[in-house]
Amino acid sequence: MFKFMHLSFQEFFTALYYVLLDEEESQRKVRELLHTVERGWALSCWSDRDFSMTDVEVRHSEWLQPVILFLCGLCKKEWIPSFFEKHNMAVSINTESQIKEWINQCSQRFQNEHMLFILHCLYELHEKSFVGKVLEGLILIDLSNIPLKRTDCWVLKNCLQCCEHIRNLKLHVTSDDLKMLQPELYRCKELWLMTDHISDNVVGLISAAGKGKILHKLNIKKPETHESGFFPEITVSVRDEDITLSFSSSVITSLTLTCPSSVVSTIDSVVQLYSYRHL
């Protein structure tokens, strides 16, 4: 009946509308919502899709995603104000189970921006046992194609704290965000890290986060104004107590350096020099 210019209001009251319906109607509405978003995600993954009605469905699913976030937040009665509890403005147990099942299934099918949204849903649920169960059941969490924002990193950090271990995690983060996440990255058996910029002590951070991991990767993006065609890639691999640096570009085919982790400060200097000389 109402439409709000401020999107968060629009989506919050849409979620609240679902909550205030009777049990059966609420479940039906939420089921339709989840199906619409999931279908939009599936269509967005088709490389040869028809860019007409399909794109409309994809955009529609994107607009509806925040409604799911608000529903996740309304699942926990103890987290919402007394006014909502007094008027029973919380997601029913059956609808909550419906949402959790959807999250669990989609986490097995989608990666990158869709996986990031799932992490935000898990964060809004604030249920440690469920978050841990979902993430520990995944073979891979791939967020490498999207540079994470600060808020995304806080969400990821919170979710990682609910797990004992993660099999394989791929991230695209800044050095500052890597520093924030580093205390939780020991949970990952295999860790891939990509960053757009090399800063002080980044290799030290990789080393601290990387004991027992398989690969740690740093990709340096070429600035748009750079015309030399030089595009370096630095790979940092940590195995036990040894750090291996591999440098490659369109100019240099390959250069590899292996050192014990006790010389991290020297390795950082090598990385800084290499990056600044050629970028």
Side-chain angles (χ1 to χ4, degrees):
M1 296 295 295
F2 302 96
K3 186 172 183 179
F4 300 89
M5 292 299 293
H6 196 291
L7 291 180
S8 63
F9 279 100
Q10 178 70 37
E11 295 144 356
F12 169 72
F13 282 110
T14 300
L16 196 59
Y17 163 69
Y18 289 164
V19 168
L20 295 175
L21 293 171
D22 64 73
E23 177 79 12
E24 184 177 347
E25 183 69 4
S26 177
Q27 288 188 54
R28 186 182 67 82
K29 287 284 189 180
V30 171
R31 188 183 304 111
E32 291 175 354
L33 168 68
L34 299 176
H35 173 75
T36 300
V37 171
E38 185 175 353
R39 174 174 167 77
W41 288 1
L43 290 174
S44 68
C45 296
W46 293 359
S47 58
D48 57 345
R49 68 181 189 265
D50 176 20
F51 288 91
S52 53
M53 290 303 297
T54 298
D55 274 4
V56 172
E57 289 190 62
V58 171
R59 288 197 299 271
H60 188 208
S61 70
E62 292 174 351
W63 296 336
L64 290 174
Q65 284 180 188
V67 180
I68 300 177
L69 288 177
F70 280 114
L71 285 171
C72 290
L74 291 169
C75 280
K76 306 301 289 181
K77 291 184 178 180
E78 61 270 24
W79 284 73
I80 59 181
S82 57
F83 173 81
F84 288 84
E85 186 176 2
K86 178 180 178 181
H87 295 280
N88 198 29
M89 293 181 179
V91 174
S92 69
I93 296 297
N94 292 331
T95 303
E96 179 181 346
S97 299
Q98 186 180 3
I99 294 172
K100 288 181 177 179
E101 180 62 25
W102 180 85
I103 291 173
N104 192 36
Q105 290 180 356
C106 287
S107 67
Q108 302 284 342
R109 296 182 54 199
F110 299 100
Q111 293 292 344
N112 286 298
E113 68 269 20
H114 305 320
M115 175 60 73
L116 181 60
F117 176 76
I118 290 170
L119 291 175
H120 277 265
C121 288
L122 292 173
Y123 176 81
E124 292 296 336
L125 284 171
H126 287 287
E127 187 173 326
K128 184 175 181 179
S129 59
F130 178 70
V131 175
K133 181 180 178 181
V134 171
L135 297 188
E136 290 174 10
L138 299 178
I139 296 176
L140 170 67
I141 299 176
D142 188 355
L143 304 174
S144 60
N145 287 342
I146 41 174
L148 297 183
K149 300 176 182 177
R150 191 68 171 182
T151 303
D152 299 329
C153 290
W154 278 112
V155 166
L156 176 61
K157 181 182 178 72
N158 180 271
C159 289
L160 288 176
Q161 290 173 343
C162 299
C163 306
E164 291 186 6
H165 68 274
I166 299 292
R167 295 188 194 180
N168 190 335
L169 177 63
K170 295 185 178 183
L171 299 177
H172 188 165
V173 293
T174 64
S175 298
D176 288 339
D177 288 337
L178 174 59
K179 185 175 182 180
M180 181 187 74
L181 289 169
Q182 186 267 325
E184 311 304 329
L185 295 181
Y186 75 91
R187 306 172 193 272
C188 309
K189 292 184 177 180
E190 184 172 350
L191 179 63
W192 300 64
L193 296 174
M194 280 157 277
T195 184
D196 296 339
H197 175 68
I198 292 295
S199 64
D200 294 337
N201 200 34
V202 70
V203 175
L205 289 172
I206 295 287
S207 177
K211 293 185 178 180
K213 311 302 187 301
I214 295 177
L215 179 65
H216 307 270
K217 191 174 184 180
L218 303 177
N219 284 355
I220 317 299
K221 288 188 176 180
K222 184 179 74 172
E224 295 180 359
T225 56
H226 193 77
E227 298 179 355
S228 69
F230 190 90
F231 183 71
E233 180 178 288
I234 303 176
T235 300
V236 185
S237 176
V238 182
R239 289 180 181 274
D240 299 325
E241 297 299 323
D242 291 334
I243 301 175
T244 300
L245 295 182
S246 296
F247 304 85
S248 63
S249 72
S250 57
V251 178
I252 301 175
T253 303
S254 179
L255 175 64
T256 302
L257 171 68
T258 301
C259 303
S261 57
S262 57
V263 294
V264 163
S265 59
T266 302
I267 296 177
D268 268 314
S269 299
V270 172
V271 172
Q272 292 282 348
L273 177 63
Y274 182 84
S275 301
Y276 294 151
R277 281 177 62 91
H278 297 290
L279 284 178

